[in-house]
Every structure is written in C-alpha cells, then in structure tokens.
Amino acid sequence: MTSQATTTQTLVQFEKRHIMPIPENERTGSVRSLFAIWVGINMLPLTVVTGAIATGSFGLSIGWSIVAILTGNVIGAFGAALHASQGPHLGIPQMLQARAQFGFYGGSLLAVIALLMFLGFFASILIVAKDSLLAVFPDLNPVAVIVVFAAIGITIAVYGYDLLRKAMVVLSIVIAAVVVVAMIMLWFQPAVTTANPEAGFTVAGFFGMLAIGVVWQLAYAPYVSDYSRYLPKDTGPKQAFWATYLGLVLSSVFVMVLGVMLGAADPNNPLGAMGSLLGPFGIVGLLVFAFSAAMINAAELYSGVMCALTAVNSTFRRVITSRTRVITTLVCGVIATAAALAGESDFVTTFQNFVTILLYVLIPWSAINLVDYFVIRKGEYAVDELFQRDGGRYGRWNAIGLSTYAIGIVVQIPFMVTPMFTGPLAEPLGFIDVAWILGFVVSGLVYLILTRLFGKPEVAVVAQSAVTAQR
C-alpha cells in the first residue's frame, strides 16, 4: 500500500504551493516542459474557430489571412513572453505581482478582471469542444457533453501544475500530428483551394484579424508566470522568454492556419467542414480535438483559480491552503460551466466580441507591468512584502497604477471598433482598430512619468523567496 502511494505521488504530484512562491528545491520545470505547455495549450478547436474568423467573418483570402495571423501573433507573443521571463526570478503567479503596481488591494481588482477572462475562455473552450464531438455524434446530449468535459478539466486543475505539465507534453505531440495531416489533406480539396471571388484584402479586415492575433497572445500574459515560476532561478529569464515565445507563436499560427482553410470551405461551420471534407480522418481529428480540449482547458481554470486566490487572500484574513485551492477550483469550474451552458447560441459572434473587449482591458495592465518590471524596478521586488496586508512598500492602494489603468482604458474608447460600440474616431480611420496600440503606448508612458514625478523613493531590494510569507 505504501509502495503504491509512493509511486502515485512520484507520477503525479498534488500541488500544495498555490499562490505562494515556489522554493528553489521544488522547481521541477524545464525549458522543454515549458515549451510543451505553450505548444499544447493552443492545440484546441477554439484556435481553429479563431483562425476561421479571418476567411469566414472578415472575408480575407487565405494568403492575407495567414499574413494577418502571423503578424498579430508575433507581436502579441512578444509581450506575453516578456511577462513569462519574470516567473523564474520572482517565483510567484503573474497576477499576484500586480500588487506591486496597484497595491495589495488594488491588485485584487486586476486579478478579478483576469479571473473573468479565464472563466470566459474555459466556457468558450467547453462549447467548441462540445461542437467537435457533436459533429461526429449529433445525437449526444449537448448539456451532458459540456458537463463531462468540464469535469475532466476541473479534475486536472484540482491536481495542479504537475499533471497539467505532463498532460501537455503528450497532447501537444498527438494533436500536432493530427493538424499536419489535416492541412495536407485540405490542400487537395477544391472547396478550400478554389479562390473565392469575394475574398481578398481589406484594410479593416486585415487589421481586425491582426488585432485578434495580438489579443490571443496577450490573453496568456496574465498567467505565463504561473508556469515559468517552476523553472529554476538559474535557468534565467532568457530561456523562459524563448520557450514561451516560440511555443505560443508556432502553435497558434499553426492551428489558426488550419482554421483559415476550414473557414474558406465553410465560414458558418468550420469544424463541421473538417468532418465532411476529410472523411474518416476528419472524424478522428474532431474526436481528438474534443477530448484534448477538455484536458487542456484545465490550464484556463488553474490560472483563474490563482487569480481568485489572490483576490481571496486580499479580501479575507485567512491562510490560503490546499483545501482552499480545491474548493475555489470547484466553485470557479461550476460557474464557468454554467456560463457555457447559457452561452451556446450565436457563439462565434459572442466570442469575437469577448476577445475584442478583452484586448482593451488587458492592454493597460500589460504596459504598466512591463514598464514597472523592466524600466522602473529592473526586476527587483521585495516578494515578502507582496503578502503583507498593509502592502509593505507597495501600499494597500497604488493611486499611480490605478489611475494610469483608468487612463489607458479611457484613451482607447474613441478608437474602439466592436459590434456593440464603435468610437467616434474609428470611422475617419476607416474602422481600423488602433485603440489597443494607443492604449499600450499611453499607459506605459503615463505610468513611467507619474512614477518618476510622484512615486515614493525606494531602496534597492533583492527578489526574495518569501520565506516569511510561507510560514
């Protein structure tokens, strides 16, 4: 009995650290495993649907779709990878670090925003995974499918990082093989290769898809350090950066291009096109996508829980334990599953609105975090003080960070281009979405200037392992 328990513990270790810093002797991650995580996390039917927006919704040709997707992902992943490089140095989850820029309580506001994003993606992935399975077995009960897939993701998230990491390594290889074969087979399908006379290049469509590529990558920024914090400190930020960057770009572009091809064949149902065009292999591919999505989806829930625990830790005077993490995982999983069950109708339009709004709210945080880490503090943080209820040197509320974030949101409003709202300055620009560019630049500059003018002087600190906070 003891031997079996020991073996099980060795194969899959139950996570106990939650939001606390990862000690050096428990950092079991490697550059290869980090790369596999970010390759695997994009091997989703949701990535396929996102790529299909280029040809299906924006009406771009296959060539221009690929250029827009490649450009957007290359730009967005740079920001996400810069955030990932912070993990090995500080050893803490990404959004907990927001306390340094927004204060102990102010950081919770940003953590809640990120939590809503993670739950939104968890729900979206459940819906698309369900669609993949129902494309093969249309008589299945969609509610039951969503519930079962949600249970798989919740279970993996409960176990935590170690099971996630090991599952990603296997899944990334299996799904990559499926995508490669599917793309080769699609090039021999006239429905894909025959040029659509209405498809081509439009400025609004190109930049709209480019913006979706950017936000797809920046959506990972609030949790890249959740995984890179498991790298040994000696591994260094450079390895964390490149493992994250290459993993995100290669997998995102790779799978989105499959979506571009399927969207060209059937703009309204790209996943259904995979089954109808590729015959038995398409059916196998849809099954692989469906069940792998249920497993990979655990990463969204896991990082959402890190954000939820950050907010809980700020709001309630209680110690975060493994029991707290498990209960929070179950609660967040149930909420996201309920959202999936309620949001099945008109999914593509709803999801497109979701990612567009997500870009606007993530951009100011990303700019503030990167300027604070790389320009102002140069990576030197008192990690122990991030866990103090008075915020230590970072305070309870950071007026500079919070006001800059508000300015970053407001400055984007006149230029926003969404189905729900279009800013007054969008039409003169041909409805090209430049709001996110302005939001990033203005947020970074304002935060830098205000901090230089009004920020409290701090003595240099060395990033600590938060030994005090762990007690």
Side-chain angles (χ1 to χ4, degrees), residues 135-437:
V136 180
F137 302 109
D139 294 331
L140 290 176
N141 186 320
V143 173
V145 172
I146 287 177
V147 171
V148 170
F149 282 171
I152 294 173
I154 292 171
T155 301
I156 296 174
V158 163
Y159 273 90
Y161 166 80
D162 193 52
L163 182 55
L164 269 170
R165 172 175 64 89
K166 290 172 180 176
M168 291 293 188
V169 172
V170 176
L171 290 173
S172 61
I173 297 172
V174 174
I175 307 173
V178 171
V179 173
V180 168
V181 175
M183 291 174 70
I184 293 173
M185 294 177 68
L186 284 171
W187 278 117
F188 293 95
Q189 296 291 331
V192 175
T193 56
T194 302
N196 181 354
E198 297 180 359
F201 174 85
T202 64
V203 175
F206 179 84
F207 281 94
M209 195 62 211
L210 185 150
I212 287 178
V214 172
V215 70
W216 182 266
Q217 296 298 342
L218 282 183
Y220 293 119
Y223 65 121
V224 282
S225 283
D226 295 1
Y227 301 97
S228 63
R229 64 183 174 141
Y230 283 92
L231 289 180
K233 193 171 183 178
D234 292 342
T235 300
K238 183 180 293 186
Q239 289 85 343
F241 174 91
W242 284 113
T244 303
Y245 185 82
L246 293 176
L248 286 174
V249 172
L250 292 175
S251 58
S252 299
V253 173
F254 187 50
V255 182
M256 283 186 187
V257 169
L258 174 62
V260 166
M261 299 168 71
L262 292 172
D266 188 347
N268 298 318
N269 188 11
L271 291 175
M274 184 171 178
S276 61
L277 292 175
L278 302 185
F281 181 82
I283 293 174
V284 172
L286 287 171
L287 291 174
V288 171
F289 266 132
F291 287 100
S292 63
M295 299 176 67
I296 294 173
N297 204 15
E300 305 290 345
L301 183 58
Y302 172 79
S303 291
V305 169
M306 294 299 106
C307 294
L309 292 177
T310 298
V312 168
N313 179 248
S314 299
T315 307
F316 303 101
R317 293 179 177 272
R318 61 174 298 171
V319 176
I320 302 297
T321 63
S322 295
R323 181 173 179 269
T324 310
R325 184 181 70 81
V326 171
I327 292 174
T328 304
T329 302
L330 295 175
V331 171
C332 290
V334 169
I335 293 173
T337 303
L341 294 173
E344 287 190 74
S345 61
D346 201 18
F347 169 72
V348 173
T349 301
T350 303
F351 178 70
Q352 191 173 343
N353 293 341
F354 171 69
V355 296
T356 303
I357 294 171
L358 189 61
L359 176 62
Y360 300 138
V361 298
L362 282 178
I363 278 290
W365 162 79
S366 179
I368 291 168
N369 175 271
L370 294 177
V371 168
D372 187 72
Y373 187 91
F374 290 102
V375 180
I376 296 174
R377 305 184 196 273
K378 296 180 172 59
E380 301 300 329
Y381 292 80
V383 176
D384 280 350
E385 296 185 29
L386 294 175
F387 292 86
Q388 295 178 8
R389 300 205 69 81
D390 64 357
R393 71 190 65 204
Y394 307 111
R396 292 183 173 89
W397 301 92
N398 187 318
I400 292 176
L402 292 169
S403 59
T404 301
Y405 183 80
I407 292 171
I409 295 290
V410 170
V411 77
Q412 296 180 81
I413 294 175
F415 302 91
M416 288 182 177
V417 181
T418 74
M420 295 179 293
F421 171 80
T422 300
L425 298 180
E427 185 174 1
L429 294 174
F431 297 102
I432 300 173
D433 192 350
V434 298
W436 59 276
I437 301 175

Side-chain angles (χ1 to χ4, degrees), residues 13 16-17 21-29 161 230 470:
Q13 296 182 9
K16 299 179 180 179
R17 287 293 173 184
I22 308 301
E24 191 68 26
N25 62 349
E26 294 182 19
R27 297 194 179 190
T28 56
Y161 166 80
Y230 283 92
Q470 293 180 46

